Amino acid sequence: MFGSLKTVALAALSGFLLLAAQTAEAAEVRAPVVVELYTSQGCSSCPPADAILAELAERDDVIALSLHVDYWDYIGWEDPFALASLTQRQRAYARSLDRRTVYTPQMVVDGTYDVIGSRPRSVANALAMARERPSVVAVDLSERGVRIGDGAVPEEGAAVWLLLYDRWHETDVRRGENAGRSLGYAHVVRDYRRLGDWSGSSAELSIDLAAARAAGRSGAAVIVQTEGPRRVLGAAALRFE
């Protein structure tokens, strides 16, 4: 995968993840923690964060997603996985989290905590804090679609988001800040869309996962989230392979 870079990053992260695991045992039952990494192949600071995200992608108590943004493309290398819609999502986070600007590598944990994604201690602490709060609504994602339970809707309202991802990609970067490097990425988001609103009542939504499979996707995640986007209220993921 990432060779020595991944080994160093994951060695640093493993000890700090014990805190999150211990917190999870004591916390109320809740959905997996949603971790969004905003990254780019044109960012030289991103590979250590990509390695951490790859480790988190192997955990059942985390929904780890790699969201590639397009504002680094101007320096000479166009990230093949960058989507303007993901850049827009990150900019919306900047407004809701009261950040002056966007940056990479940024990890947003459960829509509430944002940290520099290459700092293992910060990532683990954000995971631990997220695990302390129970989910607001139950979400179940299966081949038949998504089922959302009853719950309390925040004043801002809540949206239902679908993110389709690929399990793994490797790219030989030929230009830009990472020129000459072979980089790997886990759970790369390739499609991002709003499925609708959640009103607090139980609901069922159909999703054409067969089409997603045919397009080569490896999995899907559904996130019920406070408008903004802000706090994640509930989430579920389904791996196709």
Side-chain angles (χ1 to χ4, degrees), residues 26-241:
E28 298 180 50
V29 175
R30 58 151 294 154
V33 175
V34 176
V35 177
E36 304 172 50
L37 172 62
Y38 291 89
T39 185
S40 171
Q41 291 185 357
C43 165
S44 62
S45 300
C46 287
D50 297 319
I52 291 175
L53 194 282
E55 172 69 7
L56 294 175
E58 298 176 4
R59 294 175 50 151
D60 293 332
D61 62 336
V62 174
I63 297 175
L65 300 167
S66 178
L67 299 92
H68 289 235
V69 297
D70 61 2
Y71 50 81
W72 281 100
D73 289 357
Y74 78 95
I75 63 175
W77 178 255
E78 291 190 9
D79 189 324
F81 308 121
L83 297 175
S85 60
L86 300 181
T87 299
Q88 293 169 6
R89 181 172 172 86
Q90 188 188 26
R91 293 192 188 283
Y93 268 131
R95 293 189 292 270
S96 64
L97 295 170
D98 196 26
R99 299 291 179 256
R100 298 179 61 183
T101 186
V102 294
Y103 66 92
T104 55
Q106 180 189 34
M107 275 191 186
V108 179
V109 179
D110 256 15
T112 306
Y113 312 105
D114 77 304
V115 298
I116 296 174
S118 56
R119 295 181 178 177
R121 185 187 295 274
S122 297
V123 173
N125 287 341
L127 283 169
M129 289 188 292
R131 294 295 306 187
E132 291 178 350
R133 299 188 305 184
S135 299
V136 172
V137 61
V139 181
D140 178 66
L141 179 59
S142 69
E143 297 287 350
R144 297 181 297 277
V146 57
R147 293 193 304 172
I148 304 171
D150 297 316
V153 179
E155 293 183 1
E156 302 93 326
V160 183
W161 299 98
L162 171 67
L163 299 96
L164 301 172
Y165 63 85
D166 294 346
R167 186 187 63 82
W168 181 257
H169 279 289
E170 291 188 12
T171 302
D172 292 327
V173 180
R174 296 188 297 276
R175 294 182 298 278
E177 290 188 358
N178 288 312
R181 304 179 69 177
S182 179
L183 302 176
Y185 303 93
H187 289 196
V188 180
V189 173
R190 307 301 305 280
D191 193 353
Y192 164 65
R193 69 186 81 157
R194 182 175 181 141
L195 293 179
D197 301 327
W198 178 60
S199 65
S201 301
S202 59
E204 295 188 13
L205 302 172
S206 61
I207 304 173
D208 190 353
L209 295 182
R213 289 177 183 272
R217 305 291 76 88
S218 303
V222 171
I223 302 173
V224 180
Q225 187 170 24
T226 305
E227 290 281 16
R230 291 184 174 87
R231 180 184 173 184
V232 171
L233 307 173
L238 178 67
R239 296 173 182 171
F240 300 159
E241 56 181 45

